Amino acid sequence: ESIKTVLRSPENRILIKRMLIKCADISNPCRPREQCIEWAGRISEEYFAQTDEERRQGLPVVMPVFDRNTCSIPKSQLSFIDYFIIDMFDAWDAFADLPNLMEHLNNNIKYWKGLDGRNLRALRPPPE
């Protein structure tokens, strides 16, 4: 009933649509683990290439943390999750009950923390 009340207002509907678009844009940590890892790699490679190109052209480096020689992908993912994802998706879960997304998020947090705890910087642990 409270959701119906919120949705009656045109301003609230517009706000919810904008928030959904933003959530969709940054939702990678809420995907199943293999998809999350794949897209974390793609995004990291995009940022590495940007940093490489900025250095090549003598431009200021916008994201120095994305130096491909020193970057810890697990740390970058955990920072992103802490800064952008947790509060936003906790709020959405309270509003719309999203147990699958929250389970994926929690699993991915554990995965990245596990790699970081082993001081690994790559997307995956080395083969045993």
Side-chain angles (χ1 to χ4, degrees), residues 83-97:
Y83 192 77
F84 292 105
I85 301 298
I86 290 176
D87 290 342
M88 184 181 295
F89 279 90
D90 279 346
W92 273 113
D93 183 46
F95 181 73
D97 190 27

Side-chain angles (χ1 to χ4, degrees), residues 67-110:
D67 178 320
R68 70 176 68 247
N69 299 311
T70 59
C71 181
S72 167
I73 294 175
K75 279 189 191 319
S76 71
Q77 289 300 299
L78 289 168
S79 294
F80 178 75
I81 289 167
D82 286 342
Y83 192 77
F84 292 105
I85 301 298
I86 290 176
D87 290 342
M88 184 181 295
F89 279 90
D90 279 346
W92 273 113
D93 183 46
F95 181 73
D97 190 27
L98 306 166
N100 291 344
L101 290 180
M102 299 309 288
E103 182 179 350
H104 293 314
L105 175 59
N106 289 326
N107 288 339
N108 290 326
I109 290 170
K110 288 176 190 170

Side-chain angles (χ1 to χ4, degrees), residues 21-39:
I21 289 168
K22 185 61 176 172
C23 284
D25 182 42
I26 65 170
S27 67
N28 187 54
C30 298
R31 293 179 183 187
R33 179 173 297 150
E34 286 305 312
Q35 290 176 343
C36 176
I37 293 168
E38 173 68 25
W39 281 98

